[in-house]
Amino acid sequence: MVIPTANSLPARPTLGFIGAGRVARALAKAASDAGYRVEVVASRRIESAQHIASTLPECAVLPLERPGDMHAIFSRADLIFLTVSDDALADCAAHLAPQAGQALVHCSGASEVGLLAPATRSGGQIGGFHPLFLFAGLDDDAARLSGSAITIEAEAPLNEILQRFASDIGCRPLSIPAGERMRYHAGANYAASFLLCLLDEATHLWKAVGLPESDAREAMWPLVMGTLNAARERGLSGALAGPVSRGDAGIVTRHTEALAAMGGNHATLYSLLTLRAIHLARQRPNADNAALDAIARTVAPYIPPATPERDA
């Protein structure tokens, strides 16, 4: 447990936000619901800041007409979450100087915490706090955030304070080492935006055989949700279904031939994903490696030479 001193953050700090978008809206509401005081929301978009503040008890709004205006936020709160775009992080850090006993934390998954280093010149701490959650801008985002993982990067004592805050809002804190945010964030894209891209590919193929797009999209949801539920219960390799899981090289051959006939990169995308399915299938007990080798040979002609199966 952190024991507060004159030079350390309180164990339960007062909070502020710079940036008034979806992330700030959900985190501020979740924090308030967990008993934290959100003292101030600062933004150039005054109406957005006012909207967030109106949902919180006694929360002030700080208009940001000039970059230098944002430093005043540290007269109102101990811990400031920087919920602006990645491109704006470094510029914001140059205009902020938390004192000892205060902290500035960004909520980006892709930007290194080191971007905030200029803000440490007056003795304050810096950190990263990235929710693995799709902020949809909906009224229930704060409630749906509960149960999500949040990756934290900070030195003591800020690290412990952020870990506690994540737990208090119903989330699971994780840690990542400095310098690894690019690979971490790329991985997050596969579980979020790239998943949507795969569903778009499925929709495209179903439209190509004559299914109306609305019917195709409705038809996929039981399949998608059934797959996700199975993966959660049995693990990724345990939930794997389809021709690769059965070792059916013949079906994979016919799939790739049909997709190649369409032109474009449909067969390549299918083949690259098939390599990943082979990787999962090999993790199963009693995997038929000879059949999986045959499937790998089947898709090899459609895969760029720099993508061997061993990289899967």
Side-chain angles (χ1 to χ4, degrees), residues 148-160:
S148 300
I150 294 181
T151 49
I152 294 167
E153 182 185 339
E155 296 183 358
L158 177 58
N159 186 284
E160 184 175 341

Side-chain angles (χ1 to χ4, degrees), residues 95-299:
H95 292 91
L96 291 164
Q99 305 295 308
Q102 296 179 320
L104 178 67
V105 174
H106 76 50
C107 295
S108 167
S111 294
E112 296 297 335
V113 171
L115 278 178
L116 304 183
T120 63
R121 61 190 178 275
S122 296
Q125 285 197 276
I126 57 174
F129 187 90
H130 179 244
L132 281 165
F133 178 76
L134 181 64
F135 293 95
L138 303 175
D139 290 340
D140 65 346
D141 272 1
R144 293 189 303 107
L145 177 64
S146 180
S148 300
I150 294 181
T151 49
I152 294 167
E153 182 185 339
E155 296 183 358
L158 177 58
N159 186 284
E160 184 175 341
I161 291 168
L162 292 176
Q163 297 259 349
R164 175 181 172 180
F165 174 61
S167 297
D168 286 346
I169 63 174
C171 295
R172 185 164 60 95
L174 302 175
S175 295
I176 56 173
E180 292 292 354
R181 298 185 84 82
M182 280 297 100
R183 285 192 287 188
Y184 153 76
H185 195 253
N189 270 274
Y190 280 93
S193 295
F194 286 175
L195 178 59
L196 301 179
C197 296
L198 292 178
L199 298 181
D200 181 69
E201 175 71 358
T203 302
H204 182 87
L205 296 181
W206 286 351
K207 284 173 59 181
V209 301
L211 285 178
E213 182 170 350
S214 59
D215 289 345
R217 292 194 185 280
E218 285 302 313
M220 73 171 57
W221 297 125
L223 187 59
V224 171
M225 300 311 298
T227 300
L228 293 178
N229 289 335
R232 191 165 192 171
E233 292 294 324
R234 302 201 298 267
L236 301 182
S237 61
L240 186 68
V244 174
S245 70
R246 300 189 296 269
D248 195 338
I251 290 294
V252 173
T253 298
R254 291 159 65 187
H255 281 173
T256 50
E257 289 173 349
L259 295 175
M262 296 175 64
N265 58 8
H266 301 291
T268 298
L269 177 60
Y270 176 93
S271 297
L272 289 169
L273 292 171
T274 295
L275 286 188
R276 185 61 62 178
I278 292 171
H279 170 74
L280 287 174
R282 291 195 194 280
Q283 298 174 31
R284 290 176 150 184
N286 304 315
D288 187 343
N289 285 304
L292 296 174
D293 289 342
I295 294 173
R297 289 192 296 272
T298 293
V299 300

